[in-house]
Amino acid sequence: DGAEAFAKAVRANEGLLITDTTWRDAHQSLLATRLRTIDMLNIAPATSVALRNCYSLENWGGATFDVSMRFLRECPWERLAAMREAVPDIPFQMLLRGANAVGYTSYPDNVVHDFCKVAKETGMDVFRIFDSVNYIENMKLGIDAVGQAGGIVEAAVCYTGDVSDPKKGKYTLEYYLNFVRELEALGIHVLAIKDMAGLLRPEAASLLVGSIREEFPDLPIHVHTHDTAGTGVASMLAAGRAGADAVDAASDAMSGTTAQPPLGALVASTAGTNLDTGLDLNEVSALNEYWEECRGLYAPFESGQKSGSADVYIHEMPGGQYTNLLYQSTQLGLTGQWSSVKKAYAAANRLLGDIIKVTPSSKVTGDLAQFLVANNLTEQDVIDQAETLSFPSSVIEYFQGYLGIPPFGFPEPLRSRVLKGKTIPGTDGKSCFEGRPGAEMAPYDFDATRTKLQEKYRGSTIGDTDLLSYAMYPSVYDEYMEHKG
């Protein structure tokens, strides 16, 4: 009956709805996004029964798009179509990085619009849209693109800081309420609170969700967190009691630490109460037996993290980045310096202006943190030597405005020093974007790209999905096609 009817049904539901993240964020956070399509399809028939009362299955977008091509040599579009065929009756949900689509930078507007259109046609239902610095102009593009494609617009406010502590920085309750007001005015269907690092403590969840619910009684609220510190179940129960309609969880064997809170714990904790999830503990436990066995196959991709870690409240590293950054640090020769990298992550965040940290802004923070450790630099060293240091390209592009404008502006004098003598390619000598980057980009030429790819890969049928994969990840797509033969 359409997105508006979906939103009304969610709001009218008695109990706490669940989004299961096992097929996307859970393995992105625990297993470096390496879960193969076949291992999801094998459990799809049982999933379609056990999770029939779920809000959604989160199964696409985020890092799964490029990793499936880059490392698994699988087509993400074929994955989505196969999952849709195997699970026809549960809404599918994806993570859309606003103006960044499923990439790490800004793209021309027509790329984002076409991506959402084809994703919807291939089987996607709910699009959780976020921006890595909560930049409303980038959000508008994603919201418009999903709306025109006919998808369910679940717009996210990315959470950092601690609203329950008035002394904790700039991200106050009023900051979040103002951002929600801006989103609600854009005609969104559902509001998501995206707590990508697991910083939303139970008291803060009660305050934030309760305040939003009081001001917006008809707006469905969906809460996402990571269980890095071990408080995930408590925070989701607090959110539910305060008026949230849905929360995220993962199958027990794929939950905890940097992934989502355990599904079984939430099902059991709410059974028979006014927050009953509508899921059966025996059925979800049967699914979990599969995932217990399956996870063992991916042992080489485990991060080695064996327990929760409350120091996330200090470094604020997103759950999906934690394991990847740990692995990257080892590859960069920083073995044994993980505690230094975590401290440097907090320092990098301060240097960047205390920003929202989620892909791709979290990558900027991580790159700068590794740069600090590898070069033995202090925060003051960076400020003093900024004009001569060879910063990672992601850091330079952040200061040039490639990701948009952060809520409280860019830090000075660091920004001016980093950008001294640098210009943005393809502009008339501009050192930085002054608004939404995509607004200044020429439309992507899909026709020319189709011709080029048809000549390059003779014998292959180049469809719209190929064009979109190439538009966002040209080198990754080429490697995938060469492997495909």
Side-chain angles (χ1 to χ4, degrees):
D1 293 329
E4 288 81 8
F6 175 87
K8 282 182 181 173
V10 168
R11 193 67 197 97
N13 178 72
E14 293 182 9
L16 185 64
L17 290 164
I18 297 287
T19 286
D20 184 283
T21 67
T22 308
W23 291 10
R24 208 284 300 176
D25 202 15
H27 73 92
Q28 179 173 322
S29 299
L30 296 176
L31 304 172
T33 329
R34 293 306 202 277
L35 199 60
R36 301 171 303 166
T37 303
I38 187 65
D39 289 322
M40 289 177 262
L41 294 181
N42 284 341
I43 194 65
T47 300
S48 66
V49 175
L51 302 184
R52 61 192 175 277
N53 291 327
C54 269
Y55 172 97
S56 66
L57 291 182
E58 197 211 23
N59 61 356
W60 210 61
T64 65
F65 190 89
D66 66 292
V67 170
S68 59
M69 281 194 297
R70 191 191 304 266
F71 296 117
L72 303 179
R73 304 305 189 199
E74 294 184 354
C75 172
W77 300 97
E78 290 174 3
R79 170 184 287 192
L80 176 57
M83 290 190 292
R84 183 77 283 173
E85 185 176 351
V87 185
D89 299 325
I90 302 174
F92 280 1
Q93 180 173 316
M94 74 162 290
L95 189 64
L96 185 78
R97 298 166 179 160
N100 308 129
V102 287
Y104 296 91
T105 187
S106 288
Y107 301 98
D109 289 3
N110 65 326
V111 172
V112 180
H113 277 268
D114 282 22
F115 176 87
C116 292
K117 176 176 174 288
V118 176
K120 178 70 174 66
E121 291 169 352
T122 310
M124 190 45 59
D125 300 300
V126 182
F127 294 72
R128 178 177 285 166
I129 308 158
F130 75 95
D131 180 70
S132 71
V133 291
N134 278 352
Y135 184 43
I136 197 70
E137 296 304 320
N138 281 344
M139 289 294 290
K140 285 178 183 174
L141 173 65
I143 289 167
D144 288 347
V146 172
Q148 288 180 25
I152 296 163
V153 176
E154 182 177 304
V157 51
C158 292
Y159 179 84
T160 192
D162 180 12
V163 295
S164 63
D165 182 356
K167 299 188 288 262
K168 178 79 174 177
K170 304 173 282 193
Y171 297 97
T172 62
L173 178 62
E174 193 57 31
Y175 163 77
Y176 290 112
L177 287 173
N178 281 332
F179 193 70
V180 172
R181 288 169 191 139
E182 289 187 274
L183 292 176
E184 196 270 344
L186 296 174
I188 65 175
H189 302 123
V190 180
L191 173 75
I193 297 170
K194 182 172 168 58
D195 174 29
M196 53 280 167
L199 302 178
L200 188 66
R201 308 175 204 212
E203 186 68 23
S206 297
L207 178 61
L208 181 59
V209 174
S211 300
I212 295 170
R213 173 55 66 232
E214 184 178 0
E215 186 168 339
F216 301 99
D218 299 324
L219 182 64
I221 300 173
H222 189 173
V223 186
H224 165 89
T225 192
H226 288 255
D227 203 19
T228 310
T231 54
V233 170
S235 293
M236 295 306 93
L237 291 175
R241 292 190 195 103
D245 299 283
V247 297
D248 288 2
S251 203
D252 296 1
M254 297 285 286
S255 72
T257 62
T258 54
Q260 279 63 58
L263 174 61
L266 283 167
V267 170
S269 299
T270 58
T273 73
N274 62 351
L275 294 180
D276 196 304
T277 61
L279 302 177
D280 182 273
L281 184 59
N282 290 313
E283 291 181 342
V284 299
S285 296
L287 287 186
N288 189 55
E289 289 176 11
Y290 171 85
W291 289 113
E292 281 179 341
E293 279 197 37
C294 188
R295 184 167 174 176
L297 299 173
Y298 293 88
F301 302 106
E302 296 274 6
S303 70
Q305 188 181 10
K306 293 180 174 64
S307 66
S309 180
D311 65 354
V312 68
Y313 296 125
I314 300 168
H315 58 68
E316 301 183 350
M317 196 180 297
Q321 182 181 32
Y322 194 100
T323 50
N324 282 334
L325 195 60
L326 176 56
Y327 179 75
Q328 287 170 15
S329 296
T330 304
Q331 298 297 102
L332 290 170
L334 301 178
T335 306
Q337 297 190 67
W338 179 234
S339 64
S340 298
V341 171
K342 288 194 286 187
K343 287 173 185 168
Y345 192 93
N349 175 52
R350 289 190 293 270
L351 282 166
L352 295 169
D354 187 10
I355 60 172
I356 308 285
K357 291 169 290 298
V358 60
T359 308
S361 62
S362 55
K363 181 182 185 302
V364 177
T365 315
D367 289 350
L368 182 55
Q370 290 175 324
F371 180 75
L372 294 180
V373 174
N375 294 283
N376 198 26
L377 294 167
T378 66
E379 290 176 62
Q380 196 58 48
D381 289 339
V382 172
I383 295 168
D384 293 342
Q385 303 170 34
E387 292 181 16
T388 56
L389 290 171
S390 297
F391 288 100
S393 59
S394 65
V395 175
I396 295 169
E397 289 178 356
Y398 165 75
F399 283 119
Q400 288 179 321
Y402 272 84
L403 302 186
I405 301 171
F408 305 100
F410 293 97
E412 291 291 0
L414 183 58
R415 185 197 199 194
S416 297
R417 292 177 182 175
V418 170
L419 298 186
K420 188 173 182 180
K422 297 180 177 69
T423 57
I424 298 173
T427 65
D428 296 328
K430 292 178 68 166
S431 64
C432 57
F433 293 110
E434 287 155 18
R436 184 171 67 79
E440 301 181 43
M441 296 180 182
Y444 188 82
D445 193 337
F446 283 107
D447 290 336
T449 301
R450 189 186 300 272
T451 301
K452 180 171 82 171
L453 293 180
Q454 283 173 337
E455 289 176 0
K456 189 170 186 177
Y457 301 111
R458 295 181 188 277
S460 295
T461 302
I462 303 299
D464 292 344
T465 55
D466 294 274
L467 298 179
L468 288 162
S469 297
Y470 184 84
M472 284 180 282
Y473 290 102
S475 60
V476 174
Y477 176 82
D478 281 339
E479 289 171 14
Y480 164 73
M481 288 298 284
E482 284 161 17
H483 181 271
K484 194 175 167 186

